[in-house]
Amino acid sequence: MDICMFYFSVLVLISNYFSLTFSTPLFNLTTDQYALTVLKNSIVSDPNAILYKNWSIHTPICGWIGVSCGIIHQRVTVLDLSSFELRGTIPPHLGNLSFLRVLDISSNSFTGILPSELSKLRCLEDINVAANNFSGEIPFGALSQLRHMDLSDNGFSGKIPSSVFNISRLQNLNLSFNILDGNIPEEIGGLSSLESVSLRSNELEGSIPYTIFNISSLMIVNFRRNMLSGKLPNNICSNNLSGSIPLGIFNITTLQLLDLSWNNFSSTLPSNIGLSLPNLQYLHLHTNNLSGPIPASINNASQLEELFLLDNLFTGFIPSFPSLRLLTRFLLSQNSLSATPEMEFLSSLTNSEHLEVVEISGNLLQGCALPNSIGNLSQSLEIFLAHNSSIRGVIPSEIGNLANLSDIQLHNNHLSGSIPLQGSIPLEFCEMSSLAELYMSNNELEGPIPEYLVFVNLSSNYLSGQITPQVGDLKIINGIDLSFNLFSGDIPISIDHCESLESISLSNNNFGGFIPQSLANMKGLTTLDLSKNSFTGMIPKSLQDLKFLEYFNVSYNKLEGEIPNGSCFSNFTSLSFVHNSALCGPARFEVPPCSKDDEGSKLKSVARLMKYILPPLFSAMAIVIIVVILIRRWKHVRVGTQVPTSLGNPWRIISYIELSRATNSFSETNLLGRGSFGSVFRGVFDDGLYFAVKVFNIELEGGNKSFETESRILSTIRHRNLVRIIGCCTNMEFKALILEIMPNGSVEKWLYSNGYCGDILQLLNISIDVALALEYLHHGNTFPIVHCDIKPSNVLLDEDMTARVADFGIAKLFEEGEAMVHTKTLATIGYAAPEYGSEGKVSTGADVYSFGIMLLEMFTRKKPTDDMFGGEMSLKEWVTESLQANEISQVLAPAMLPERDRHFDMKMNWMTSVFELAMKCLAISPDERINMIEAASTL
Ligand SMILES: *[C@@H]1O[C@H](CO)[C@@H](O)[C@H](O)[C@H]1NC(C)=O
Ligand SMILES: *[C@@H]1O[C@H](CO)[C@@H](O)[C@H](O)[C@H]1NC(C)=O
Ligand SMILES: *[C@@H]1O[C@H](CO)[C@@H](O)[C@H](O)[C@H]1NC(C)=O
Ligand SMILES: *[C@@H]1O[C@H](CO)[C@@H](O)[C@H](O)[C@H]1NC(C)=O
Ligand SMILES: *[C@@H]1O[C@H](CO)[C@@H](O)[C@H](O)[C@H]1NC(C)=O
Ligand SMILES: *[C@H]1O[C@@H](CO)[C@H](O)[C@@H](O)[C@@H]1NC(C)=O
């Protein structure tokens, strides 16, 4: 009989004895009732009034919400208060709930220590205090019945007590996201029932004890480091495990997840790893110092879904993995790996039907060429990164089969030959100059267009040449957009072989000759834009039979003769026809009426010309600058020149001419604002899309750099709370970024506008948006990005009032090994952290500080530079004093929280929490500031 059962029996005996002696078992009930009442009284905030209403002294505790009792003894066995949004402390009296089996107070805001009296809970099987703000040491002694212990996401510090490792029944141990230090004790090997252990993101150091091999039931091992620090030094909590990975860990056949990433392990992987770990699903060993070959036996771990070995020192050939059918992510970038010339490992991945991500960039793939079988990789493939790898040869056109590929990066290789005209080529247009240069210097770009093109978008480039008659081979093409280029020549008659064509835009080029009658053979045509060219002759009458034609534009040409008036033409307006030589027809087209004779003779001559004169032209397209091709299934592509803006879509390259037209030559009336970098204008594209364009003043020192920084950063990141880029326009003299327009302006403008009403919820939402954006910047990428200029004027509001962080002109993208850099860039006074403002030291902490100031400003509606501050008194001091005096209503923005508000108390509590959070962001020393993960989760 185990201790708990023994204890239980004794108590039952006693209570029975008492029940015989007295009329009710009052003795036991009052102990539990007393403990829970003390707990209730220790709660300082219960925003949903759960305990306040339900835990009534007049009802039996066993009916209280979150409380369950044993049927016979009527003692509390379960206390589950998870996610009640409670704030307060845990009193030692809980240790008197001697029959408690389950204690779950997770996802609240409990603070203080966990009382050591909880060690008296001898029946406790499951304790979950995750996601609170507990601090101090882990108090437990021998809780011999414990099976599940979850203390994650708190502030527990000190060493892991060895008593934890004496709990032989323990199955799940989760201590992640705390600030525990010291070594992992060897006693861990005694946890013979352990199935899952997570010590992720602590400050543990030393090595993993070899005794771990004893734990034959382990399925999940997560010792991942806090991502922020990784190999970066010091400032934030991080594991610092090192040495070799004990080989015994690879003998635990039950293992499903092994995550040792972001540590400093230096060893090789055992060659039989895949044989000894047949159940492995996730192998995350990235960002360590692991070396040696990647064992081919990994292929035997047929359950493997994620293989993350990137950022290590692995060498040798990448083996083939034909058996990994469940693989979704294959990340081997940043090693010193090589491969066979045909890159057989890539071919072997064609068996992985669910493959989504392949990253092999930054390796030593000299002499390797991408195999044609790349086109047989899974249709679910979204990301393929193989840049900086010395790959040679051509890009196989089969890559175009990968319909869902949204990010492919092949720059800085030795690729040659033609650019396959399919697939969607990367996001980083402005960055792609390196790609273009590489192509330019090594290649003559020419060659036939592959036959299976679905959509060609070459608009807004400097492309010249003529359309070859081979265009007729594009049997399944849906759309051709060659607008805004320097193309010339005729439209080949053979274009009518493209029977699926729905959209043709050739506007803004130098096309000439007649409009071929054969266009009318493309029955599905919905858009035909030939405007701003030099077409001559007549508009073929047959075009009026195009049933689906919705958009037709031949304005600004040299056309003459009658405008057809039948069928689909009845809906077009004079705008489609303005600025031609001598068009005539119905009055509503605002052209003179036609005389009968004119018409007949002209028609005939046109027909004759069509038949005999237009020769088949053979010419190749000479591609002069960056070729940007987009093919999407038709359903993904909007007709015409709609700008793709959704996530994953590439940037659009916009010509200066187009931009100038769309902003009315950058007129003053379209000016939205000026800054140190240059100016922002409003504009509207032909298709009605409004946008903002940020024109960088590249003559100013730093202007060019600012453009580069901003486009570099914005091309690598995507988040709902960051301003989104539509495209760019760049040449030697002019650099601009085209951004989504934010109809509600900046937070600053909104904060100090007349319509401002200080809605707390809205402010909180904005705070959360900004926090999430910063969390993503700091922690969501391989290396942290520091914005360096967080303030209300750099946070914009979209039409839904979702906040988006903008203006990355002075942001810093940290490289490996950096956590702090020096800068001379001027910080904004008032918002800059002390170490940044005075010494130019930039770390993620600098953003945290600025965010803290922004929080204070939003809720007090006082700028840090307000006249009332200066000398000793700063915005921070001012709020601190009111917090200490418990009088924050004194500093809240006027009218923010009227006394009559129905939820006055609750909202006042929120405000206190917000200000307390701001203070944690405003610690003088960057090391003492909280990080944005904590800040965002607090909010
Ligand atoms: C408390 O909550 C429980 C469970 O939701 C419910 O059954 C009980 O009636 C409530 N008691 C009071 C006094 O509201
Ligand atoms: C990691 O531990 C090593 C010793 O094992 C120590 O020299 C080093 O400073 C530690 N690094 C960090 C970031 O704590
Ligand atoms: C792992 O298992 C193999 C085969 O069972 C054995 O030879 C080896 O000694 C074991 N290694 C460790 C470190 O336990
Ligand atoms: C990582 O380990 C190596 C030795 O294997 C040591 O030289 C280096 O300092 C360690 N790095 C950190 C950040 O602790
Ligand atoms: C003209 O436009 C109307 C409304 O947009 C549409 O219902 C009608 O079918 C169009 N007519 C032709 C001939 O396309
Ligand atoms: C049990 O808890 C302690 C605090 O840890 C109290 O001091 C005791 O009074 C309490 N005992 C009873 C019977 O409620």
Side-chain angles (χ1 to χ4, degrees):
M1 183 157 65
D2 66 46
I3 295 170
C4 188
M5 285 308 290
F6 174 73
Y7 190 58
F8 173 82
S9 314
V10 171
L11 277 175
V12 170
L13 280 178
I14 294 172
S15 57
N16 284 347
Y17 170 76
F18 276 107
S19 7
L20 289 176
T21 315
F22 307 105
S23 53
T24 55
L26 202 64
F27 165 75
N28 288 324
L29 276 183
T30 49
T31 304
D32 287 3
Q33 191 171 34
Y34 179 50
L36 293 182
T37 308
V38 176
L39 171 63
K40 182 182 168 186
N41 292 337
S42 312
I43 305 246
V44 295
S45 167
D46 178 6
N48 306 315
I50 299 175
L51 302 197
Y52 176 74
K53 284 197 188 132
N54 188 288
W55 282 22
S56 157
I57 199 82
H58 306 296
T59 56
I61 55 169
C62 294
W64 288 2
I65 191 164
V67 177
S68 308
C69 298
I71 295 170
I72 301 168
H73 51 67
Q74 289 291 300
R75 298 284 310 266
V76 176
T77 53
V78 176
L79 181 59
D80 178 358
L81 307 180
S82 63
S83 303
F84 281 10
E85 297 179 42
L86 303 174
R87 211 155 63 87
T89 52
I90 298 296
H93 302 69
L94 278 201
N96 290 346
L97 299 173
S98 22
F99 282 72
L100 199 64
R101 285 191 296 103
V102 177
L103 175 62
D104 186 350
I105 52 172
S106 60
S107 302
N108 285 290
S109 302
F110 286 108
T111 53
I113 57 160
L114 269 190
S116 59
E117 283 77 2
L118 294 186
S119 302
K120 295 194 295 181
L121 299 173
R122 284 168 200 284
C123 298
L124 202 62
E125 293 170 9
D126 186 345
I127 180 166
N128 186 350
V129 306
N132 281 288
N133 297 321
F134 288 113
S135 51
E137 302 207 348
I138 298 175
F140 305 117
L143 290 170
S144 62
Q145 300 300 306
L146 210 57
R147 290 185 169 78
H148 311 285
M149 182 193 291
D150 189 345
L151 311 187
S152 62
D153 201 357
N154 279 289
F156 289 111
S157 56
K159 310 214 179 317
I160 308 176
S162 56
S163 52
V164 164
F165 298 102
N166 289 336
I167 310 174
S168 60
R169 294 178 181 222
L170 202 61
Q171 292 169 3
N172 300 305
L173 175 62
N174 189 349
L175 305 179
S176 56
F177 295 103
N178 281 294
I179 39 179
L180 299 165
D181 57 26
N183 295 328
I184 305 176
E186 287 190 359
E187 287 84 352
I188 193 171
L191 295 175
S192 53
S193 310
L194 203 62
E195 292 172 3
S196 155
V197 54
S198 177
L199 305 178
R200 175 177 177 175
S201 297
N202 278 287
E203 292 182 355
L204 298 167
E205 30 177 59
S207 52
I208 303 182
Y210 75 99
T211 52
I212 198 161
F213 79 92
N214 272 336
I215 318 178
S216 56
S217 48
L218 260 184
M219 293 189 282
I220 294 176
V221 174
N222 190 341
F223 293 165
R224 182 195 171 96
R225 183 180 204 171
N226 185 320
M227 188 163 143
L228 183 70
S229 319
K231 284 179 179 173
L232 312 173
N234 296 335
N235 56 347
I236 322 261
C237 357
S238 57
N239 285 337
N240 184 10
L241 302 172
S242 56
S244 301
I245 303 174
L247 285 177
I249 217 168
F250 300 111
N251 267 4
I252 307 175
T253 53
T254 45
L255 217 54
Q256 295 172 359
L257 179 150
L258 179 60
D259 188 342
L260 306 179
S261 58
W262 294 91
N263 281 293
N264 192 17
F265 288 111
S266 53
S267 56
T268 56
L269 297 181
S271 61
N272 66 343
I273 176 171
L275 294 164
S276 55
L277 299 179
N279 295 304
L280 200 60
Q281 294 172 12
Y282 306 94
L283 184 59
H284 295 183
L285 303 178
H286 51 286
T287 319
N288 278 292
N289 288 326
L290 300 172
S291 55
I294 294 183
S297 73
I298 289 181
N299 185 43
N300 295 69
S302 58
Q303 304 298 310
L304 201 63
E305 292 177 29
E306 297 185 347
L307 181 62
F308 291 5
L309 301 179
L310 68 154
D311 201 6
N312 276 294
L313 306 169
F314 287 114
T315 50
F317 283 83
I318 304 177
S320 290
F321 300 109
S323 303
L324 302 184
R325 292 178 187 278
L326 304 178
L327 198 66
T328 58
R329 289 148 178 254
F330 180 80
L331 313 186
L332 303 188
S333 296
Q334 314 300 339
N335 279 291
S336 300
L337 294 162
S338 48
T340 52
E342 295 81 31
M343 298 176 89
E344 269 129 357
F345 75 92
L346 270 185
S347 308
S348 75
L349 294 179
T350 55
N351 288 340
S352 310
E353 286 172 33
H354 308 288
L355 199 63
E356 291 166 10
V357 183
V358 171
E359 297 189 15
I360 51 170
S361 55
N363 278 296
L364 307 172
L365 303 176
Q366 284 95 343
C368 301
L370 294 171
N372 294 347
S373 60
I374 197 167
N376 299 336
L377 288 174
S378 164
Q379 282 290 309
S380 46
L381 194 68
E382 288 175 21
I383 299 178
F384 184 86
L385 308 186
H387 48 281
N388 297 47
S389 285
S390 311
I391 299 174
R392 62 168 177 83
V394 300
I395 306 174
S397 52
E398 285 81 358
I399 208 168
N401 297 352
L402 303 172
N404 289 308
L405 209 55
S406 61
D407 189 355
I408 151 170
Q409 302 197 14
L410 298 171
H411 51 275
N412 293 335
N413 281 302
H414 301 306
L415 296 164
S416 56
S418 62
I419 297 181
L421 297 185
Q422 68 280 307
S424 82
I425 294 192
L427 302 161
E428 303 174 44
F429 277 14
C430 295
E431 288 281 284
M432 260 181 59
S433 48
S434 57
L435 175 66
E437 270 166 33
L438 190 71
Y439 276 114
M440 291 305 294
S441 54
N442 294 343
N443 310 286
E444 288 285 298
L445 287 169
E446 57 181 351
I449 306 176
E451 290 171 17
Y452 33 77
L453 269 182
V454 182
F455 190 86
V456 180
N457 182 349
L458 296 170
S459 79
S460 305
N461 282 295
Y462 297 86
L463 305 178
S464 60
Q466 303 178 344
I467 303 183
T468 107
Q470 293 161 347
V471 69
D473 296 341
L474 302 174
K475 296 272 187 303
I476 64 162
I477 192 158
N478 282 148
I480 296 183
D481 186 350
L482 305 180
S483 58
F484 296 97
N485 278 294
L486 306 168
F487 286 112
S488 55
D490 300 62
I491 305 178
I493 311 177
S494 60
I495 197 166
D496 72 339
H497 296 169
C498 309
E499 284 165 6
S500 329
L501 255 182
E502 295 177 11
S503 153
I504 302 178
S505 178
L506 307 179
S507 71
N508 289 275
N509 279 289
N510 295 321
F511 286 110
F514 296 112
I515 300 173
Q517 207 152 16
S518 62
L519 284 178
N521 296 345
M522 290 179 282
K523 301 287 183 227
L525 212 57
T526 59
T527 298
L528 180 59
D529 188 351
L530 307 178
S531 60
K532 302 200 173 149
N533 280 291
S534 303
F535 287 108
T536 54
M538 300 179 66
I539 301 172
K541 195 150 195 158
S542 54
L543 292 186
Q544 70 185 5
D545 299 329
L546 290 170
K547 287 207 180 55
F548 303 103
L549 195 63
E550 289 165 357
Y551 183 83
F552 180 75
N553 194 347
V554 292
S555 61
Y556 295 89
N557 277 293
K558 298 173 180 160
L559 298 166
E560 52 189 50
E562 183 178 26
I563 300 176
N565 195 19
S567 200
C568 69
F569 275 62
S570 58
N571 270 356
F572 302 146
T573 68
S574 62
L575 288 179
S576 300
F577 305 100
V578 295
H579 276 270
N580 273 289
S581 299
L583 287 173
C584 62
R588 60 192 185 82
F589 294 141
E590 295 169 21
V591 289
C594 303
S595 75
K596 287 269 168 201
D597 305 347
D598 255 18
E599 212 184 297
S601 63
K602 283 235 163 85
L603 257 179
K604 269 181 210 136
S605 67
V606 168
R608 219 178 303 128
L609 279 170
M610 285 294 170
K611 222 166 176 178
Y612 303 111
I613 299 179
L614 282 183
L617 292 167
F618 280 84
S619 55
M621 283 194 263
I623 296 174
V624 180
I625 298 200
I626 307 166
V627 177
V628 174
I629 301 115
L630 254 184
I631 305 177
R632 290 288 161 108
R633 297 249 156 98
W634 183 241
K635 56 177 186 267
H636 295 311
V637 178
R638 304 260 206 99
V639 180
T641 54
Q642 188 83 27
V643 176
T645 55
S646 64
L647 282 190
N649 274 345
W651 290 10
R652 171 171 166 171
I653 294 197
I654 290 147
S655 71
Y656 178 81
I657 305 166
E658 188 179 3
L659 207 53
S660 169
R661 209 154 39 97
T663 55
N664 202 1
S665 308
F666 303 99
S667 71
E668 283 290 319
T669 48
N670 282 330
L671 186 70
L672 291 176
R674 277 192 212 282
S676 50
F677 53 83
S679 316
V680 180
F681 296 88
R682 173 196 3 238
V684 54
F685 287 125
D686 287 351
D687 56 10
L689 183 89
Y690 283 87
F691 63 90
V693 53
K694 181 166 175 181
V695 180
F696 291 78
N697 191 341
I698 54 175
E699 266 133 47
L700 286 182
E701 196 190 338
N704 224 341
K705 175 122 199 299
S706 179
F707 168 79
E708 266 168 38
T709 309
E710 185 149 18
S711 52
R712 173 160 176 228
I713 288 180
L714 286 175
S715 68
T716 53
I717 57 179
R718 271 167 279 165
H719 190 271
R720 112 177 236 281
N721 298 119
L722 298 179
V723 72
R724 207 173 293 148
I725 295 279
I726 297 170
C728 63
C729 172
T730 162
N731 60 41
M732 295 292 281
E733 287 87 30
F734 184 83
K735 302 226 180 297
L737 283 176
I738 289 87
L739 308 156
E740 265 183 338
I741 200 147
M742 294 286 147
N744 286 314
S746 70
V747 169
E748 170 164 64
K749 192 178 132 217
W750 175 71
L751 215 48
Y752 298 102
S753 71
N754 295 331
Y756 172 84
C757 57
D759 181 340
I760 289 187
L761 271 179
Q762 204 156 38
L763 284 167
L764 275 175
N765 280 333
I766 292 173
S767 315
I768 291 169
D769 287 343
V770 178
L772 289 174
L774 287 176
E775 178 187 30
Y776 170 78
L777 289 173
H778 292 178
H779 307 280
N781 298 283
T782 317
F783 299 115
I785 295 167
V786 182
H787 183 281
C788 295
D789 205 7
I790 291 295
K791 57 183 175 183
S793 61
N794 280 343
V795 177
L796 306 180
L797 298 167
D798 72 9
E799 64 274 22
D800 302 319
M801 293 298 282
T802 303
R804 308 253 198 106
V805 172
D807 207 336
F808 287 76
I810 60 170
K812 295 277 176 291
L813 178 58
F814 280 21
E815 307 288 352
E816 180 176 340
E818 285 179 337
M820 194 274 287
V821 296
H822 281 271
T823 180
K824 288 194 204 126
T825 318
L826 273 190
T828 305
I829 293 166
Y831 301 91
E835 78 281 1
Y836 177 29
S838 61
E839 299 166 59
K841 283 187 187 167
V842 175
S843 64
T844 50
D847 280 352
V848 175
Y849 187 95
S850 307
F851 176 70
I853 293 286
M854 183 166 163
L855 277 183
L856 296 187
E857 174 172 357
M858 289 204 306
F859 291 94
T860 60
R861 213 180 168 196
K862 282 266 183 297
K863 282 179 174 300
T865 50
D866 194 289
D867 286 340
M868 69 180 276
F869 305 124
E872 286 306 295
M873 182 58 81
S874 65
L875 175 58
K876 178 185 163 192
E877 276 308 308
W878 186 54
V879 176
T880 309
E881 279 182 18
S882 76
L883 264 180
Q884 279 162 356
N886 214 355
E887 285 181 344
I888 58 163
S889 53
Q890 304 291 321
V891 299
L892 280 185
M896 168 104 67
L897 187 49
E899 293 270 356
R900 60 177 191 284
D901 192 296
R902 272 198 305 140
H903 304 290
F904 180 87
D905 284 348
M906 181 174 85
K907 289 188 177 170
M908 199 48 106
N909 281 330
W910 289 357
M911 287 302 91
T912 310
S913 312
V914 167
F915 286 141
E916 281 170 359
L917 171 65
M919 291 311 155
K920 288 187 192 165
C921 297
L922 292 173
I924 294 293
S925 154
D927 296 352
E928 279 163 33
R929 286 174 212 148
I930 62 171
N931 64 36
M932 286 313 301
I933 297 177
E934 298 167 60
S937 70
T938 310
L939 280 168

